[in-house]
Amino acid sequence: MGYTGLARWINAPTTSIELIHQNIIRNHQGQYKGKWLLSIRSYRSTLSSIPGYQVHAERSMCALTMGDNVFVLLEDPAAPMHAEYKQKVEELAKEQPGVTLPPPAHYRLTFPTLSPPGALEQLLAQLRARWVSVRQTGAGSSSAATGGSGSQKSQGTGQQLSVEGHVYAIGSDWLVRAGNVILAGGAVKGMFLEAEYLPLPNMPTRANELGMTDLQPILSNLLLSVLPNVADARIVAVTIGDAQWEEILWDDPDDEERKQKERDEDDIYADENDLPVTRKGDWVGVERDRRSAFLIIGALKQEGLL
């Protein structure tokens, strides 16, 4: 697995998958590799329904199932970001030397990976957790708010939306995934197109003249080449800057010790047994899927589909 770029074709026609298939097979000598299937559900907390318990804002949770893994993004608007907490610690150290600021119980964003699929629903049911599907009917929501058995049954009902498409190989260096975004009722809301450059496990992001993160040219050029020539197509790159992704990964003390050890190494001579070190954040294995899942969830949330 390698470095990927993701694009969102917002107004893709219903024939877009077939058009991309023809373009890749005929013009790029691509090979069909299989299905691309993702399912995404979103939930919200119902903590405000607890008598005497006050919350500033309900928490949200999105779960994306990709293969054998479920990537879960939890957001608590009332909790600080890691960068905000570190800034407060530094300010307090200057104003009141010797005084320490205790860390929060949790940060604003938490992004765990669960396996196998269905593990999240089982966990919510066992804990009798106060989460309800965002797209529940009125009757289902009312029973969920009571924390009764009805809420646990409603948590696992139906797919909120899915991404359904195909995977192609172009030569030995590229994988291309194309899939329609399909709502629970069957309506199609555009599509996602993802290009994966297999030789590289990582690549630094770059900013455009507006200060926003852009796709690397090698990825954007490939994506543009496989897109069909359709008039008035609305296509946007789905990106995340290195600093934003570090907020999701956030370094713990063990990581800092490992980094310091790497900095202390001064052996400038290569050995025939030396191998590249796999680093945190490299786009390999489940980490590639994790970053892809985060980008897809973020794009759908921004459009109000989650």
Side-chain angles (χ1 to χ4, degrees):
M1 291 185 175
Y3 188 81
T4 63
L6 186 70
R8 177 87 167 101
W9 189 357
I10 299 173
N11 61 341
T14 55
T15 58
S16 58
I17 290 291
E18 180 60 28
L19 293 173
I20 289 176
H21 173 86
Q22 294 176 3
N23 188 12
I24 291 177
I25 299 299
R26 295 177 182 177
N27 300 326
H28 294 272
Q29 291 74 51
Q31 294 182 336
Y32 179 77
K33 304 296 290 185
K35 297 281 189 180
W36 188 35
L37 299 174
L38 309 174
S39 62
I40 307 109
R41 297 178 183 174
S42 62
Y43 305 83
R44 62 174 175 82
S45 63
T46 57
L47 298 175
S48 59
S49 65
I50 303 175
Y53 189 85
Q54 295 182 347
V55 293
H56 297 287
E58 292 290 359
R59 301 167 186 176
S60 65
M61 176 169 61
C62 296
L64 185 149
T65 301
M66 182 187 302
D68 294 330
N69 296 307
V70 182
F71 303 95
V72 184
L73 179 62
L74 297 103
E75 182 174 4
D76 182 0
M81 302 288 280
H82 290 95
E84 294 173 346
Y85 170 71
K86 290 179 66 175
Q87 182 179 357
K88 290 181 179 178
V89 169
E90 293 172 358
E91 292 175 351
L92 184 62
K94 293 179 180 178
E95 297 173 359
Q96 303 180 46
V99 179
T100 59
L101 181 67
H106 59 269
Y107 294 93
R108 183 172 303 172
L109 298 177
T110 308
F111 195 39
T113 302
L114 304 179
S115 184
L120 176 62
E121 288 77 7
Q122 294 177 8
L123 181 63
L124 293 178
Q126 291 172 359
L127 297 177
R128 302 183 66 82
R130 292 181 175 271
W131 291 91
V132 61
S133 174
V134 171
R135 306 296 184 185
Q136 287 299 331
T137 61
S141 296
S142 63
S143 67
T146 65
S149 61
S151 81
Q152 308 308 329
K153 292 179 181 179
S154 67
Q155 284 170 347
T157 59
Q159 303 271 91
Q160 181 169 322
L161 61 82
S162 60
V163 177
E164 301 179 12
H166 307 289
V167 182
Y168 304 89
I170 298 179
S172 59
D173 289 346
W174 292 98
L175 286 179
V176 176
R177 302 173 183 88
N180 286 328
V181 177
I182 303 176
L183 303 186
V188 177
K189 287 288 186 180
M191 71 177 303
F192 280 110
L193 189 67
E194 184 179 67
E196 180 177 356
Y197 187 55
L198 298 173
L200 289 180
N202 209 333
M203 189 183 299
T205 58
R206 67 189 187 106
N208 58 24
E209 61 275 9
L210 299 178
M212 302 175 66
T213 303
D214 263 351
L215 287 177
Q216 289 287 352
I218 190 173
L219 295 170
S220 58
N221 291 340
L222 189 281
L223 288 171
L224 289 173
S225 71
V226 301
L227 284 167
N229 188 12
V230 177
D232 301 321
R234 294 174 56 202
I235 302 169
V236 296
V238 182
T239 61
I240 181 173
D242 291 337
Q244 293 173 287
W245 187 238
E246 287 175 3
E247 172 70 28
I248 301 300
L249 293 177
W250 75 283
D251 294 326
D252 56 30
D254 291 338
D255 288 327
E256 288 299 326
E257 291 179 7
R258 176 181 56 78
K259 287 182 178 180
Q260 185 61 45
K261 185 180 295 185
E262 291 176 357
R263 286 192 291 265
D264 292 342
E265 292 180 354
D266 56 0
D267 185 5
I268 63 174
Y269 299 100
D271 185 86
E272 61 181 5
N273 296 320
D274 287 346
L275 294 174
V277 177
T278 300
R279 302 181 183 276
K280 186 175 183 179
D282 278 355
W283 293 35
V284 294
V286 72
E287 285 300 322
R288 191 218 69 84
D289 293 341
R290 189 168 180 244
R291 189 157 181 167
S292 179
F294 183 84
L295 291 173
I296 291 172
I297 290 174
L300 295 174
K301 288 186 70 173
Q302 190 172 17
E303 293 180 35
L305 297 179
L306 289 177

